[in-house]
Amino acid sequence: MATKFDYESFAQNLAAQAQELVPPEFNDVQKQYVVNTLGNFALLSGKALAEDPNLNFNEEQAVTITQIIAEWSFHKSVDLIRSGIPQQYWDSVMQKIAYTIFEIAKQTFSQGLPNDKIIELIEHHVKKAYVEALGELKNKGIIDEGLMEYAASQSNMDKMAQEMQSQQDQQAQAAAQGGVPTTQQNGNIDFPKVDSKVLKLATVAMLFKKMNQDKVQTILNKFDPEEAQMVVKFMKVPNLAEKVGAQNALRCLQEIKTNLPKNTDLTPNRIVTRLRKFTSKYTTKDLDTMLIRERMGVKRLVFNAMEGKYYDKMPPKVASIVATHLADSV
């Protein structure tokens, strides 16, 4: 347990910063829900990490886990509000997500997995928990299929990442025209905003220090020469990980991942291929049994894919989530 972790002050600080990031179109009730949800989940998780004798995390790990929970609490509560799902059902969805993050974070940090792998696993399970929670509301007759699919398509994290990219493009254009780009301070909270290129290069250097150096040199040969020199310089800095900090490293890795070329898994043809690979393992009777509780849209998506066709009434992003959900549920 991280006994030195001042989780109360940390949760209050995160909640205060979140107030500045809530979408401006939200009304006062909606804004307060986002801030309160983030603050409450950060406080509860921080308390458990600091006081539970069965959890053997240091202060830095406790801070990072709490921050990850705060970040996803922010994004998914925004997604819920934008989805149009009635407010009385928000808490049940958010509790499922927060519990999922806490459990996956505990497991991955205990296993000593690399930070980028931890981020990837948590993101996967958050999305899975969100879709499952929406499915439960649909099965209870609280929302219909259309609203469930619309809610599943919401992604404030993607929206903020796109805005960040747009800001970076504008800054690059301003610099090319002789203007002076503005910068934004990110504070302590782990939300995507314009970040320091130097910090990202230092994070890359942290990763390279753990890799085979021949492979590192091959990768550096593809870098801009000036940036490659900076990475090499950072690799020689003693205690680089401590100087960068786990929170900054996690944020940079997330933003680097966000700006990588989009995975072609979202193309209809690729989704059909994934689903056909999945269905090839089962008979039609087996699939009928497996999909008995799924909504009609999912069944049409699956059975259309068996014939090599894409069910075009389902957005590719949602269809990709469904394909992942089916593969993981077996």
Side-chain angles (χ1 to χ4, degrees):
M1 62 184 174
T3 54
K4 296 182 180 180
F5 179 28
D6 184 1
Y7 59 87
E8 292 184 352
S9 296
F10 189 63
Q12 290 172 1
N13 185 31
L14 292 176
Q17 293 180 58
Q19 292 182 2
E20 305 299 321
L21 297 167
V22 177
E25 70 271 16
F26 281 12
N27 62 37
D28 290 342
V29 173
Q30 294 169 332
K31 290 179 180 179
Q32 202 57 49
Y33 180 81
V34 173
V35 173
N36 288 345
T37 299
L38 179 152
N40 290 338
F41 286 153
L43 182 64
L44 291 172
S45 60
K47 180 179 176 65
L49 292 164
E51 299 181 0
D52 189 339
N54 296 318
L55 299 179
N56 189 27
F57 295 115
N58 60 36
E59 183 180 1
E60 186 176 25
Q61 290 172 322
V63 167
T64 302
I65 293 172
T66 302
Q67 197 158 351
I68 291 172
I69 289 175
E71 177 185 1
W72 277 110
S73 297
F74 177 87
H75 289 304
K76 299 318 290 182
S77 59
V78 169
D79 290 345
L80 272 177
I81 292 171
R82 284 177 171 157
S83 73
I85 289 175
Q87 183 174 351
Q88 61 264 41
Y89 304 110
W90 294 349
D91 283 349
S92 63
V93 176
M94 292 306 304
Q95 287 165 5
K96 184 180 182 70
I97 290 171
Y99 175 79
T100 297
I101 299 171
F102 191 67
E103 291 302 311
I104 298 300
K106 284 196 304 181
Q107 294 174 26
T108 52
F109 275 91
S110 295
Q111 294 168 9
L113 297 181
N115 287 340
D116 55 342
K117 187 63 175 177
I118 290 174
I119 290 175
E120 181 182 344
L121 286 170
I122 290 176
E123 180 178 358
H124 168 75
H125 284 282
V126 166
K127 292 178 178 178
K128 181 179 178 182
Y130 182 57
V131 171
E132 288 176 350
L134 297 176
E136 290 173 5
L137 294 179
K138 164 65 170 58
N139 293 337
K140 293 176 181 177
I142 294 170
I143 61 176
D144 60 20
E145 181 178 336
L147 181 54
M148 185 186 73
E149 292 183 357
Y150 179 72
S153 70
Q154 297 297 313
S155 179
N156 185 62
M157 177 169 279
D158 288 348
K159 187 176 188 303
M160 291 185 74
Q162 290 168 2
E163 290 172 353
M164 179 190 71
Q165 184 62 53
S166 177
Q167 289 173 332
Q168 290 175 330
D169 291 344
Q170 289 173 8
Q171 289 182 343
Q173 183 177 5
Q177 295 173 352
V180 180
T182 59
T183 59
Q184 297 183 16
Q185 297 301 318
N186 204 20
N188 294 319
I189 200 162
D190 190 14
F191 298 132
K193 298 184 80 172
V194 177
D195 203 357
S196 165
K197 182 173 77 172
V198 173
L199 188 57
K200 290 180 181 177
L201 292 175
T203 302
V204 171
M206 286 173 53
L207 297 177
F208 282 1
K209 288 179 73 170
K210 298 180 180 181
M211 292 172 55
N212 179 285
Q213 294 307 297
D214 291 337
K215 187 174 182 180
V216 167
Q217 189 57 54
T218 301
I219 299 173
L220 283 174
N221 290 338
K222 299 178 183 179
F223 275 49
D224 174 85
E226 182 178 346
E227 293 181 353
Q229 289 179 6
M230 290 179 68
V231 171
V232 172
K233 181 179 178 181
F234 283 132
M235 290 175 68
K236 297 177 181 179
V237 173
N239 302 319
L240 178 62
E242 294 179 11
K243 290 183 167 77
V244 172
Q247 300 168 53
N248 289 329
L250 282 167
R251 184 178 69 249
C252 289
L253 287 170
Q254 180 64 53
E255 292 182 9
I256 290 170
K257 176 185 174 183
T258 298
N259 288 307
L260 289 173
K262 296 298 181 183
N263 196 317
T264 54
D265 280 355
L266 291 182
T267 63
N269 286 341
R270 183 61 66 87
I271 293 170
V272 168
T273 299
R274 288 173 60 196
L275 287 170
R276 291 190 74 177
K277 182 178 179 181
F278 166 75
T279 58
S280 66
K281 304 174 184 177
Y282 307 98
T283 65
T284 302
K285 184 177 179 180
D286 290 335
L287 290 171
D288 283 332
T289 301
M290 293 167 61
L291 299 174
I292 192 169
R293 293 187 177 182
E294 299 290 349
R295 62 191 186 278
M296 186 55 66
V298 171
K299 294 177 181 178
R300 289 177 179 172
L301 177 72
V302 172
F303 288 113
N304 277 18
M306 291 175 66
E307 299 176 2
K309 302 175 184 177
Y310 180 72
Y311 180 54
D312 56 12
K313 291 186 178 181
M314 184 175 292
K317 190 166 186 177
V318 178
S320 180
I321 293 173
V322 170
T324 301
H325 163 69
L326 291 174
D328 290 345
S329 62
V330 177

